Amino acid sequence: MDRSLELLGRISSIPYNVHHAAIQRNRTENTCNWILETDQFRSWEKSSSPDLLYLWGPPGTGKTLLISKVIDRLKETLENQNHEEFAIFYCNRREEIRRQPLCVLQSILRQLASTSSNSDAIQKSVIEADINNRRDGEQFD
């Protein structure tokens, strides 16, 4: 397990779950439920391959709070169905590291590197990439 955590830390140190939990705490209870009832969301959710849900609006209009509600719904749904994995990332224009595309992708890789059936197991291809990266003095980029 320690080796798995070490490898995941080399991939990304972004605390994505901490960011999500902070946003959840800022969301007033029983707010944002309306987004789950919209025709657009329901259509997206029921799609056989819901690729992208796009929320647009100027800064400060609540997009982050809304998407946190959607993420909560997806986590609940996927836990009940033992379905495909998904990854989250909250960009933040005030934090340099959370605006860099490479950091976003590394965090997503970290989240998807673990197998769903065994959270301590790392996908074999990620382990092989790590070995090659360390041998060549490279990072996950």
Side-chain angles (χ1 to χ4, degrees):
M1 181 168 158
D2 290 337
R3 296 177 92 195
S4 296
L5 291 175
E6 180 185 330
L7 171 54
L8 293 174
R10 281 195 301 274
I11 296 171
S12 173
S13 62
I14 301 287
Y16 55 91
N17 276 327
V18 170
H19 296 153
H20 181 66
I23 292 164
Q24 282 177 310
R25 284 190 303 275
N26 286 333
R27 197 176 65 217
T28 303
E29 191 173 345
N30 297 321
T31 61
C32 302
N33 293 332
W34 65 266
I35 194 165
L36 305 177
E37 303 302 322
T38 64
D39 291 339
Q40 293 88 348
F41 177 80
R42 287 181 175 189
S43 174
W44 175 82
E45 186 179 39
K46 290 178 184 176
S47 171
S48 61
S49 60
D51 295 330
L52 181 67
L53 177 64
Y54 182 74
L55 297 179
W56 182 91
T61 56
K63 297 178 301 296
T64 300
L65 295 172
L66 287 171
I67 204 65
S68 74
K69 187 67 168 184
V70 170
I71 289 168
D72 288 347
R73 169 71 158 262
L74 289 174
K75 282 185 171 186
E76 179 183 302
T77 301
L78 294 176
E79 285 173 5
N80 292 336
Q81 295 179 356
N82 193 19
H83 197 266
E84 296 174 5
E85 298 294 328
F86 75 103
I88 63 172
F89 191 90
Y90 290 95
C91 295
N92 186 327
R93 66 180 178 272
R94 294 182 192 107
E95 292 181 38
E96 178 65 29
I97 194 166
R98 287 172 59 193
R99 294 184 314 192
Q100 297 174 3
L102 179 58
C103 290
V104 175
L105 293 173
Q106 288 169 329
S107 179
I108 291 169
L109 174 61
R110 176 188 174 140
Q111 294 172 64
L112 298 178
S114 298
T115 62
S116 59
S117 60
N118 182 354
S119 61
D120 293 337
I122 302 295
Q123 299 286 347
K124 185 177 178 180
S125 59
V126 176
I127 294 170
E128 291 171 3
D130 180 57
I131 291 168
N132 292 335
N133 284 348
R134 286 189 294 158
R135 180 193 64 224
D136 299 337
E138 297 178 357
Q139 298 177 354
F140 281 93
D141 62 357

